[in-house]
Amino acid sequence: MLTKRIIPCLDIKDGRTVKGVNFVELRDAGDPVALAKLYSAQGADELVFLDITATVDKRKTLAKLVTEVAKEITIPFTVGGGITSLEDVQVLLAAGADKISINSAAVNQPSLINEMAKAFGSQCVVVAIDTRRVAGIDWVHTHGGRKSTILQTKSWAMELADRGAGEILLTSMDHDGTKGGFALDLTAGISESLSIPVIASGGAGSMLHFKEVFTSGKADAALAASIFHFKEIGIPELKMYLS
Amino acid sequence: MKVVLIQYNSGNVQSVLYALERLGVEAELTDDQEKILSADRVIFPGQGEASSAMSYLKNRNLDKVIREIKQPFLGVCLGLQLLCAHSEENDTDCLGIFPIKVKRFIPAAWEKVPHVGWNKIKNIKENPLLNHLPDVRYLYYVHSYYAELGEHTLATTSYIQDFTAILNRDNFWAVQAHPEKSSILGEKLLENFLALPST
Protein backbone atom coordinates (compact mmCIF):
# COMPACT_ATOMS: atom_id res chain seq x y z
CA MET A 1 0.00 0.00 0.00
CA LEU A 2 1.13 3.50 -0.80
CA THR A 3 1.87 5.44 2.37
CA LYS A 4 0.47 8.92 3.00
CA ARG A 5 3.40 11.28 2.85
CA ILE A 6 4.54 13.62 5.63
CA ILE A 7 6.45 16.54 4.17
CA PRO A 8 8.29 19.12 6.27
CA CYS A 9 8.54 22.40 4.40
CA LEU A 10 11.57 24.61 4.77
CA ASP A 11 10.91 28.22 3.83
CA ILE A 12 14.25 29.67 2.82
CA LYS A 13 15.21 33.31 3.02
CA ASP A 14 18.80 34.39 2.46
CA GLY A 15 19.96 30.80 2.91
CA ARG A 16 18.23 30.29 6.29
CA THR A 17 15.04 28.48 7.25
CA VAL A 18 12.25 30.79 8.32
CA LYS A 19 8.56 30.37 8.89
CA GLY A 20 6.00 33.04 8.29
CA VAL A 21 2.80 33.21 10.22
CA ASN A 22 0.22 34.00 7.56
CA PHE A 23 3.23 34.58 5.29
CA VAL A 24 4.09 37.90 6.97
CA GLU A 25 5.92 37.58 10.25
CA LEU A 26 9.17 35.64 9.88
CA ARG A 27 11.08 33.74 12.52
CA ASP A 28 14.45 32.13 12.15
CA ALA A 29 14.22 28.35 12.35
CA GLY A 30 17.74 27.33 11.52
CA ASP A 31 20.16 26.00 9.01
CA PRO A 32 18.34 24.29 6.10
CA VAL A 33 20.94 21.60 5.40
CA ALA A 34 21.08 20.53 9.05
CA LEU A 35 17.29 20.50 9.24
CA ALA A 36 17.00 18.53 6.00
CA LYS A 37 19.41 15.92 7.28
CA LEU A 38 17.59 15.67 10.57
CA TYR A 39 14.18 15.23 8.91
CA SER A 40 15.56 12.67 6.50
CA ALA A 41 17.04 10.66 9.38
CA GLN A 42 13.78 10.92 11.34
CA GLY A 43 11.76 9.35 8.54
CA ALA A 44 10.20 12.30 6.73
CA ASP A 45 8.86 11.02 3.40
CA GLU A 46 9.89 14.02 1.39
CA LEU A 47 11.01 17.63 1.81
CA VAL A 48 10.00 20.91 0.22
CA PHE A 49 12.24 23.97 0.02
CA LEU A 50 10.58 27.24 -0.85
CA ASP A 51 12.83 30.22 -1.44
CA ILE A 52 10.41 32.94 -0.45
CA THR A 53 12.67 35.78 -1.50
CA ALA A 54 13.96 34.33 -4.75
CA THR A 55 15.05 36.95 -7.26
CA VAL A 56 17.26 36.63 -10.31
CA ASP A 57 20.54 37.19 -8.45
CA LYS A 58 19.58 34.72 -5.72
CA ARG A 59 19.18 31.76 -8.05
CA LYS A 60 22.81 30.77 -7.84
CA THR A 61 22.58 30.70 -4.03
CA LEU A 62 19.51 28.49 -4.29
CA ALA A 63 21.23 26.09 -6.71
CA LYS A 64 24.17 25.86 -4.33
CA LEU A 65 21.86 25.10 -1.41
CA VAL A 66 20.09 22.44 -3.51
CA THR A 67 23.43 20.76 -4.16
CA GLU A 68 24.35 20.79 -0.47
CA VAL A 69 20.99 19.24 0.42
CA ALA A 70 21.13 16.63 -2.35
CA LYS A 71 24.54 15.47 -1.15
CA GLU A 72 23.29 14.94 2.40
CA ILE A 73 19.84 13.41 2.18
CA THR A 74 18.44 10.08 0.98
CA ILE A 75 14.85 11.14 0.38
CA PRO A 76 13.28 13.17 -2.42
CA PHE A 77 12.85 16.91 -2.29
CA THR A 78 11.05 19.66 -4.14
CA VAL A 79 12.39 23.14 -4.73
CA GLY A 80 10.34 26.24 -5.45
CA GLY A 81 10.35 30.00 -5.23
CA GLY A 82 10.67 32.51 -8.05
CA ILE A 83 11.03 29.95 -10.82
CA THR A 84 9.86 31.44 -14.11
CA SER A 85 11.52 29.59 -16.97
CA LEU A 86 12.58 26.18 -18.27
CA GLU A 87 16.15 27.32 -17.79
CA ASP A 88 15.57 27.85 -14.05
CA VAL A 89 14.06 24.38 -13.85
CA GLN A 90 16.98 22.82 -15.69
CA VAL A 91 19.52 24.45 -13.36
CA LEU A 92 17.79 23.25 -10.20
CA LEU A 93 17.22 19.71 -11.49
CA ALA A 94 20.87 19.55 -12.49
CA ALA A 95 21.83 20.74 -9.00
CA GLY A 96 20.02 17.71 -7.55
CA ALA A 97 16.38 18.70 -7.01
CA ASP A 98 13.86 15.94 -7.67
CA LYS A 99 10.84 18.12 -8.30
CA ILE A 100 10.24 21.77 -9.02
CA SER A 101 7.37 23.74 -7.62
CA ILE A 102 6.02 26.74 -9.49
CA ASN A 103 3.30 29.09 -8.29
CA SER A 104 2.98 32.65 -9.62
CA ALA A 105 4.69 31.65 -12.88
CA ALA A 106 1.98 29.06 -13.51
CA VAL A 107 -0.68 31.77 -13.25
CA ASN A 108 1.22 34.31 -15.35
CA GLN A 109 2.33 31.83 -17.99
CA PRO A 110 0.33 28.58 -17.84
CA SER A 111 2.08 27.16 -20.92
CA LEU A 112 5.21 26.80 -18.77
CA ILE A 113 3.52 23.80 -17.12
CA ASN A 114 3.05 22.08 -20.49
CA GLU A 115 6.64 22.87 -21.42
CA MET A 116 8.01 21.57 -18.12
CA ALA A 117 6.01 18.34 -18.40
CA LYS A 118 7.18 17.83 -21.98
CA ALA A 119 10.82 18.58 -21.23
CA PHE A 120 11.28 16.88 -17.86
CA GLY A 121 8.18 14.73 -17.32
CA SER A 122 5.11 15.40 -15.16
CA GLN A 123 6.70 13.66 -12.18
CA CYS A 124 8.89 16.67 -11.46
CA VAL A 125 6.19 19.31 -11.94
CA VAL A 126 4.55 20.42 -8.71
CA VAL A 127 2.20 23.35 -9.06
CA ALA A 128 1.51 25.27 -5.87
CA ILE A 129 -1.80 26.99 -5.37
CA ASP A 130 -2.26 29.57 -2.63
CA THR A 131 -5.97 29.91 -2.07
CA ARG A 132 -8.15 32.18 0.02
CA ARG A 133 -11.90 31.93 0.60
CA VAL A 134 -13.82 35.14 -0.04
CA ALA A 135 -17.60 35.14 0.45
CA GLY A 136 -17.68 31.35 0.25
CA ILE A 137 -15.66 31.08 -2.97
CA ASP A 138 -12.07 29.82 -3.14
CA TRP A 139 -9.83 32.13 -5.17
CA VAL A 140 -6.27 31.56 -6.32
CA HIS A 141 -3.75 34.07 -4.97
CA THR A 142 -0.17 34.68 -6.05
CA HIS A 143 2.99 36.37 -4.79
CA GLY A 144 2.99 34.62 -1.44
CA GLY A 145 -0.73 35.17 -1.11
CA ARG A 146 -0.61 38.94 -1.52
CA LYS A 147 -2.22 39.22 -4.95
CA SER A 148 -5.67 37.95 -5.81
CA THR A 149 -6.52 36.54 -9.24
CA ILE A 150 -9.72 35.90 -11.16
CA LEU A 151 -9.09 32.15 -11.04
CA GLN A 152 -11.28 29.88 -8.96
CA THR A 153 -9.29 27.24 -7.14
CA LYS A 154 -10.99 24.04 -8.24
CA SER A 155 -11.19 24.84 -11.95
CA TRP A 156 -7.61 26.10 -11.86
CA ALA A 157 -6.45 22.86 -10.24
CA MET A 158 -8.22 20.87 -12.96
CA GLU A 159 -6.57 22.98 -15.66
CA LEU A 160 -3.16 22.39 -14.08
CA ALA A 161 -3.69 18.63 -14.17
CA ASP A 162 -4.74 18.83 -17.85
CA ARG A 163 -1.61 20.82 -18.66
CA GLY A 164 0.62 18.13 -17.20
CA ALA A 165 1.18 19.02 -13.54
CA GLY A 166 2.26 15.94 -11.61
CA GLU A 167 1.11 17.11 -8.18
CA ILE A 168 -0.78 20.01 -6.63
CA LEU A 169 0.52 21.68 -3.49
CA LEU A 170 -2.57 23.29 -2.06
CA THR A 171 -2.09 25.93 0.63
CA SER A 172 -5.08 27.44 2.37
CA MET A 173 -4.08 31.01 3.22
CA ASP A 174 -6.97 31.12 5.68
CA HIS A 175 -5.56 28.20 7.63
CA ASP A 176 -1.83 28.80 7.20
CA GLY A 177 -0.14 29.72 10.46
CA THR A 178 -3.27 29.21 12.58
CA LYS A 179 -2.47 25.67 13.83
CA GLY A 180 -6.22 25.09 13.79
CA GLY A 181 -6.18 22.21 11.32
CA PHE A 182 -6.04 21.80 7.53
CA ALA A 183 -8.79 23.09 5.23
CA LEU A 184 -10.56 19.75 5.02
CA ASP A 185 -13.53 20.49 2.78
CA LEU A 186 -11.40 22.52 0.37
CA THR A 187 -8.74 19.81 0.15
CA ALA A 188 -11.28 17.00 -0.26
CA GLY A 189 -13.12 18.93 -2.98
CA ILE A 190 -9.94 19.45 -4.99
CA SER A 191 -8.51 15.99 -4.36
CA GLU A 192 -11.72 14.23 -5.42
CA SER A 193 -11.90 16.18 -8.68
CA LEU A 194 -8.34 15.36 -9.70
CA SER A 195 -6.52 12.19 -10.73
CA ILE A 196 -3.14 13.57 -9.60
CA PRO A 197 -1.93 13.70 -5.98
CA VAL A 198 -2.78 16.65 -3.75
CA ILE A 199 -0.45 17.82 -0.99
CA ALA A 200 -2.40 19.65 1.71
CA SER A 201 -0.74 22.61 3.37
CA GLY A 202 -1.66 25.22 5.95
CA GLY A 203 -3.01 24.81 9.45
CA ALA A 204 -1.22 21.78 10.93
CA GLY A 205 -1.15 22.05 14.71
CA SER A 206 -1.58 18.53 16.04
CA MET A 207 -1.23 14.89 15.07
CA LEU A 208 -5.01 14.64 14.82
CA HIS A 209 -4.96 17.31 12.09
CA PHE A 210 -2.80 15.03 9.94
CA LYS A 211 -5.14 12.10 10.48
CA GLU A 212 -8.10 14.27 9.52
CA VAL A 213 -6.54 15.56 6.33
CA PHE A 214 -5.71 12.01 5.18
CA THR A 215 -9.21 10.74 5.93
CA SER A 216 -11.92 13.38 5.50
CA GLY A 217 -9.55 15.74 3.64
CA LYS A 218 -8.66 13.00 1.09
CA ALA A 219 -5.13 14.36 0.84
CA ASP A 220 -2.31 12.25 -0.60
CA ALA A 221 0.35 14.05 1.40
CA ALA A 222 0.49 16.71 4.11
CA LEU A 223 2.98 19.51 4.47
CA ALA A 224 3.88 21.52 7.56
CA ALA A 225 6.71 23.73 8.70
CA SER A 226 6.91 25.39 12.10
CA ILE A 227 5.43 22.51 14.11
CA PHE A 228 8.33 20.42 12.88
CA HIS A 229 10.97 23.17 13.05
CA PHE A 230 10.07 24.07 16.63
CA LYS A 231 9.71 20.39 17.61
CA GLU A 232 6.07 20.65 18.63
CA ILE A 233 5.45 17.37 16.79
CA GLY A 234 8.15 14.77 16.19
CA ILE A 235 8.09 12.99 12.84
CA PRO A 236 8.70 9.50 14.31
CA GLU A 237 5.78 9.92 16.76
CA LEU A 238 3.55 11.30 14.04
CA LYS A 239 4.31 8.38 11.71
CA MET A 240 3.64 5.90 14.50
CA TYR A 241 0.38 7.66 15.37
CA LEU A 242 -0.79 7.50 11.75
CA SER A 243 0.17 3.85 11.15
CA MET B 1 36.11 -0.11 -9.59
CA LYS B 2 35.05 2.02 -12.55
CA VAL B 3 31.38 3.00 -12.40
CA VAL B 4 29.77 5.04 -15.16
CA LEU B 5 26.37 6.62 -15.49
CA ILE B 6 25.08 6.87 -19.02
CA GLN B 7 24.60 10.49 -19.92
CA TYR B 8 21.52 11.27 -21.97
CA ASN B 9 18.69 13.78 -21.74
CA SER B 10 17.48 12.49 -18.40
CA GLY B 11 16.83 14.33 -15.18
CA ASN B 12 17.77 13.12 -11.73
CA VAL B 13 21.31 12.05 -12.61
CA GLN B 14 22.94 14.17 -9.95
CA SER B 15 21.04 12.39 -7.17
CA VAL B 16 22.39 9.04 -8.33
CA LEU B 17 25.94 10.41 -8.35
CA TYR B 18 25.49 11.71 -4.80
CA ALA B 19 24.03 8.40 -3.60
CA LEU B 20 27.07 6.58 -4.99
CA GLU B 21 29.33 9.17 -3.39
CA ARG B 22 27.73 8.35 -0.02
CA LEU B 23 28.73 4.73 -0.68
CA GLY B 24 32.28 5.85 -1.36
CA VAL B 25 32.15 5.51 -5.16
CA GLU B 26 33.20 8.24 -7.57
CA ALA B 27 31.13 7.54 -10.67
CA GLU B 28 31.58 9.22 -14.02
CA LEU B 29 28.74 10.63 -16.08
CA THR B 30 29.52 9.96 -19.73
CA ASP B 31 28.12 9.25 -23.19
CA ASP B 32 31.50 8.03 -24.45
CA GLN B 33 31.04 4.54 -25.93
CA GLU B 34 34.50 3.29 -25.03
CA LYS B 35 34.21 4.41 -21.44
CA ILE B 36 30.78 2.83 -21.10
CA LEU B 37 31.88 -0.47 -22.62
CA SER B 38 35.02 -0.68 -20.49
CA ALA B 39 33.38 0.20 -17.15
CA ASP B 40 32.94 -2.35 -14.35
CA ARG B 41 29.44 -1.14 -13.57
CA VAL B 42 27.03 0.80 -15.76
CA ILE B 43 24.07 2.69 -14.36
CA PHE B 44 21.29 3.90 -16.61
CA PRO B 45 19.37 6.48 -14.59
CA GLY B 46 16.20 8.02 -15.73
CA GLN B 47 13.51 10.53 -15.34
CA GLY B 48 11.72 12.00 -18.27
CA GLU B 49 9.81 10.97 -21.34
CA ALA B 50 10.34 7.69 -23.21
CA SER B 51 10.22 8.73 -26.88
CA SER B 52 12.59 11.69 -26.57
CA ALA B 53 14.93 9.58 -24.44
CA MET B 54 14.95 6.81 -27.08
CA SER B 55 15.63 9.20 -29.97
CA TYR B 56 18.42 10.80 -27.97
CA LEU B 57 19.99 7.37 -27.35
CA LYS B 58 19.60 6.34 -31.02
CA ASN B 59 21.12 9.56 -32.32
CA ARG B 60 24.24 8.82 -30.32
CA ASN B 61 24.31 5.10 -31.08
CA LEU B 62 23.87 4.42 -27.35
CA ASP B 63 20.97 2.02 -28.03
CA LYS B 64 23.45 -0.40 -29.66
CA VAL B 65 26.11 0.22 -27.02
CA ILE B 66 23.71 -0.67 -24.19
CA ARG B 67 22.84 -4.00 -25.83
CA GLU B 68 26.55 -4.87 -26.04
CA ILE B 69 27.32 -4.27 -22.38
CA LYS B 70 28.47 -7.40 -20.56
CA GLN B 71 29.16 -5.95 -17.10
CA PRO B 72 26.50 -5.53 -14.41
CA PHE B 73 24.04 -2.92 -15.64
CA LEU B 74 21.37 -1.15 -13.60
CA GLY B 75 18.40 0.69 -15.08
CA VAL B 76 16.56 3.05 -12.76
CA CYS B 77 12.96 4.30 -13.20
CA LEU B 78 12.72 5.44 -16.84
CA GLY B 79 15.94 3.44 -17.25
CA LEU B 80 13.93 0.29 -16.40
CA GLN B 81 11.16 1.23 -18.81
CA LEU B 82 13.59 1.89 -21.67
CA LEU B 83 15.05 -1.61 -21.22
CA CYS B 84 11.62 -3.13 -21.95
CA ALA B 85 10.26 -3.93 -25.42
CA HIS B 86 7.75 -1.15 -25.85
CA SER B 87 6.27 1.76 -23.93
CA GLU B 88 2.80 3.21 -24.26
CA GLU B 89 4.36 6.60 -23.55
CA ASN B 90 4.11 8.14 -27.04
CA ASP B 91 4.02 4.61 -28.50
CA THR B 92 7.76 4.08 -28.21
CA ASP B 93 9.79 1.03 -29.22
CA CYS B 94 12.42 0.57 -26.52
CA LEU B 95 15.63 -1.45 -26.14
CA GLY B 96 14.02 -4.88 -25.76
CA ILE B 97 16.32 -6.37 -23.12
CA PHE B 98 13.23 -7.43 -21.18
CA PRO B 99 10.44 -8.80 -23.43
CA ILE B 100 7.65 -7.01 -21.59
CA LYS B 101 5.54 -3.93 -22.18
CA VAL B 102 5.35 -0.64 -20.33
CA LYS B 103 1.81 0.60 -19.84
CA ARG B 104 0.17 3.72 -18.50
CA PHE B 105 -1.55 3.48 -15.12
CA ILE B 106 -5.27 4.01 -15.43
CA PRO B 107 -6.36 6.00 -12.35
CA ALA B 108 -8.66 4.05 -10.04
CA ALA B 109 -11.14 5.46 -7.53
CA TRP B 110 -8.63 6.34 -4.82
CA GLU B 111 -5.43 5.61 -6.62
CA LYS B 112 -4.07 8.52 -8.53
CA VAL B 113 -1.54 8.86 -11.33
CA PRO B 114 1.39 9.42 -11.09
CA HIS B 115 2.12 6.84 -8.43
CA VAL B 116 4.09 9.05 -6.04
CA GLY B 117 5.49 8.05 -2.69
CA TRP B 118 6.71 5.14 -0.61
CA ASN B 119 5.41 1.70 -1.49
CA LYS B 120 6.31 -1.86 -0.55
CA ILE B 121 8.18 -4.41 -2.63
CA LYS B 122 6.92 -7.98 -2.32
CA ASN B 123 7.09 -11.43 -3.95
CA ILE B 124 10.84 -11.04 -3.65
CA LYS B 125 12.82 -13.74 -5.48
CA GLU B 126 16.27 -14.84 -4.50
CA ASN B 127 18.87 -12.80 -6.32
CA PRO B 128 22.25 -11.26 -5.46
CA LEU B 129 20.75 -7.77 -5.89
CA LEU B 130 18.27 -8.60 -3.11
CA ASN B 131 20.63 -10.13 -0.56
CA HIS B 132 20.33 -9.15 3.11
CA LEU B 133 17.63 -6.53 2.67
CA PRO B 134 16.62 -4.49 5.73
CA ASP B 135 13.20 -5.21 7.25
CA VAL B 136 11.78 -1.96 5.93
CA ARG B 137 10.59 -2.88 2.45
CA TYR B 138 9.53 0.53 1.18
CA LEU B 139 10.98 2.26 -1.86
CA TYR B 140 10.26 5.71 -3.24
CA TYR B 141 8.31 5.77 -6.51
CA VAL B 142 7.42 8.54 -8.95
CA HIS B 143 6.01 7.29 -12.24
CA SER B 144 2.96 7.24 -14.49
CA TYR B 145 3.94 4.18 -16.50
CA TYR B 146 4.72 0.70 -15.25
CA ALA B 147 6.27 -2.49 -16.58
CA GLU B 148 3.93 -5.47 -16.66
CA LEU B 149 4.89 -8.69 -14.90
CA GLY B 150 7.14 -11.14 -16.71
CA GLU B 151 9.49 -14.06 -16.27
CA HIS B 152 12.35 -11.71 -15.32
CA THR B 153 10.39 -9.99 -12.55
CA LEU B 154 12.29 -10.26 -9.24
CA ALA B 155 9.89 -8.29 -7.06
CA THR B 156 6.53 -6.63 -7.45
CA THR B 157 4.73 -3.62 -6.03
CA SER B 158 0.98 -3.11 -5.81
CA TYR B 159 -0.56 0.07 -7.10
CA ILE B 160 -3.84 -0.07 -9.01
CA GLN B 161 -2.52 -3.53 -9.97
CA ASP B 162 0.65 -5.53 -9.37
CA PHE B 163 3.52 -4.30 -11.50
CA THR B 164 7.21 -5.07 -11.89
CA ALA B 165 9.33 -3.41 -9.22
CA ILE B 166 12.66 -5.08 -9.99
CA LEU B 167 13.93 -7.02 -13.00
CA ASN B 168 16.94 -9.15 -13.85
CA ARG B 169 18.08 -10.89 -17.02
CA ASP B 170 21.71 -11.94 -17.39
CA ASN B 171 23.83 -8.87 -16.53
CA PHE B 172 20.88 -6.47 -16.71
CA TRP B 173 19.10 -5.38 -13.55
CA ALA B 174 16.46 -2.69 -13.29
CA VAL B 175 14.52 -0.97 -10.54
CA GLN B 176 11.33 1.06 -11.09
CA ALA B 177 11.66 3.01 -7.86
CA HIS B 178 14.44 5.47 -7.11
CA PRO B 179 17.00 3.65 -4.93
CA GLU B 180 19.02 6.87 -4.75
CA LYS B 181 16.06 8.45 -2.95
CA SER B 182 14.86 5.45 -0.97
CA SER B 183 16.62 5.76 2.34
CA ILE B 184 18.16 2.54 3.75
CA LEU B 185 16.54 0.00 1.41
CA GLY B 186 17.59 2.02 -1.63
CA GLU B 187 21.10 2.30 -0.30
CA LYS B 188 21.24 -1.48 0.19
CA LEU B 189 20.15 -2.12 -3.41
CA LEU B 190 22.91 0.15 -4.72
CA GLU B 191 25.42 -1.45 -2.39
CA ASN B 192 24.40 -4.93 -3.61
CA PHE B 193 24.63 -3.80 -7.21
CA LEU B 194 28.17 -2.55 -6.68
CA ALA B 195 29.04 -5.88 -5.01
CA LEU B 196 27.80 -8.06 -7.91
CA PRO B 197 30.50 -10.24 -9.46
CA SER B 198 32.02 -8.81 -12.63
CA THR B 199 32.04 -10.99 -15.73
Side-chain angles (χ1 to χ4, degrees):
Chain A
M1 203 191 88
L2 188 66
T3 55
K4 299 286 189 181
R5 288 170 284 154
I6 301 294
I7 307 177
C9 176
L10 286 71
D11 286 348
I12 305 295
K13 190 181 182 226
D14 304 326
R16 299 281 294 173
T17 311
V18 291
K19 173 58 192 172
V21 176
N22 290 334
F23 284 48
V24 180
E25 190 188 316
L26 300 174
R27 290 161 72 189
D28 191 353
D31 168 35
V33 179
L35 260 179
K37 210 173 166 181
L38 176 73
Y39 290 141
S40 171
Q42 285 182 341
D45 296 304
E46 224 171 300
L47 296 171
V48 169
F49 295 84
L50 291 180
D51 190 336
I52 58 176
T53 55
T55 53
V56 176
D57 56 309
K58 280 182 183 159
R59 272 179 209 145
K60 273 186 192 155
T61 326
L62 183 60
K64 192 166 156 266
L65 175 68
V66 166
T67 300
E68 285 172 33
V69 171
K71 282 187 175 185
E72 295 284 348
I73 69 169
T74 57
I75 58 170
F77 67 98
T78 302
V79 178
I83 291 154
T84 56
S85 68
L86 276 189
E87 219 181 328
D88 293 345
V89 174
Q90 172 66 51
V91 167
L92 295 170
L93 289 177
D98 299 290
K99 309 179 197 181
I100 300 299
S101 164
I102 58 168
N103 188 338
S104 303
V107 173
N108 297 337
Q109 191 196 334
S111 62
L112 180 62
I113 301 158
N114 306 62
E115 290 166 18
M116 280 173 72
K118 177 91 178 95
F120 308 110
S122 288
Q123 81 290 328
C124 75
V125 184
V126 179
V127 184
I129 304 177
D130 291 338
T131 173
R132 203 185 280 281
R133 189 165 286 183
V134 180
I137 296 172
D138 295 305
W139 298 98
V140 176
H141 284 62
T142 60
H143 298 84
R146 292 189 299 275
K147 274 176 78 173
S148 60
T149 69
I150 52 159
L151 298 166
Q152 289 200 22
T153 303
K154 190 190 275 191
S155 54
W156 176 235
M158 292 169 79
E159 183 181 336
L160 295 174
D162 287 343
R163 285 180 178 276
E167 288 180 84
I168 302 293
L169 169 53
L170 183 69
T171 301
S172 162
M173 304 301 304
D174 304 304
H175 290 244
D176 194 67
T178 64
K179 297 192 179 172
F182 292 95
L184 300 178
D185 61 333
L186 168 78
T187 307
I190 305 282
S191 188
E192 281 176 331
S193 61
L194 296 181
S195 65
I196 59 172
V198 172
I199 305 163
S201 157
S206 72
M207 297 205 283
L208 177 66
H209 294 154
F210 285 90
K211 189 183 248 179
E212 286 171 351
V213 82
F214 291 139
T215 50
S216 52
K218 316 277 186 207
D220 300 285
L223 177 143
S226 59
I227 54 156
F228 296 134
H229 303 333
F230 296 108
K231 302 189 176 71
E232 290 161 40
I233 294 179
I235 291 167
E237 296 96 294
L238 176 59
K239 295 206 78 175
M240 195 168 292
Y241 169 81
L242 292 170
S243 67
Chain B
M1 181 172 21
K2 208 175 124 203
V3 180
V4 300
L5 264 73
I6 297 180
Q7 184 172 28
Y8 66 114
N9 63 336
S10 146
N12 198 44
V13 174
Q14 202 56 49
S15 312
V16 180
L17 288 173
Y18 291 146
L20 293 168
E21 222 174 275
R22 288 192 291 269
L23 291 168
V25 173
E26 256 335 299
E28 186 184 0
L29 182 63
T30 182
D31 60 0
D32 183 284
Q33 305 190 10
E34 290 307 310
K35 280 184 178 171
I36 293 171
L37 287 168
S38 65
D40 302 302
R41 294 288 179 283
V42 180
I43 298 179
F44 186 37
Q47 204 170 73
E49 191 275 321
S51 68
S52 60
M54 274 309 297
S55 17
Y56 190 100
L57 292 173
K58 279 184 186 163
N59 288 339
R60 284 156 186 80
N61 208 33
L62 289 171
D63 56 328
K64 293 193 180 70
V65 172
I66 290 172
R67 290 192 190 97
E68 282 173 31
I69 291 168
K70 296 284 177 277
Q71 296 299 346
F73 182 101
L74 181 67
V76 172
C77 195
L78 179 65
L80 174 145
Q81 300 183 359
L82 295 177
L83 291 174
C84 296
H86 180 269
S87 172
E88 281 184 3
E89 189 170 19
N90 293 317
D91 191 17
T92 306
D93 282 329
C94 300
L95 295 162
I97 302 288
F98 300 105
I100 51 175
K101 286 182 176 164
V102 174
K103 297 177 171 172
R104 188 176 165 80
F105 279 124
I106 296 167
W110 294 113
E111 296 180 300
K112 298 178 173 187
V113 177
H115 171 218
V116 181
W118 297 80
N119 207 336
K120 237 178 197 164
I121 52 167
K122 48 185 196 172
N123 302 314
I124 298 170
K125 287 190 190 158
E126 223 172 275
N127 189 278
L129 189 76
L130 306 174
N131 279 345
H132 310 296
L133 297 184
D135 292 337
V136 179
R137 294 290 160 83
Y138 283 90
L139 290 173
Y140 184 80
Y141 287 89
V142 189
H143 59 129
S144 300
Y145 293 81
Y146 67 93
E148 58 186 7
L149 303 179
E151 57 173 318
H152 303 109
T153 300
L154 286 186
T156 67
T157 291
S158 251
Y159 192 70
I160 303 177
Q161 69 273 307
D162 282 358
F163 66 87
T164 289
I166 303 176
L167 283 164
N168 171 230
R169 181 183 186 180
D170 306 324
N171 60 316
F172 289 93
W173 279 265
V175 179
Q176 176 62 61
H178 287 279
E180 75 280 8
K181 286 286 161 181
S182 294
S183 196
I184 50 170
L185 178 55
E187 204 157 76
K188 187 68 194 169
L189 292 178
L190 291 176
E191 202 181 300
N192 283 346
F193 174 69
L194 295 172
L196 288 169
S198 298
T199 51

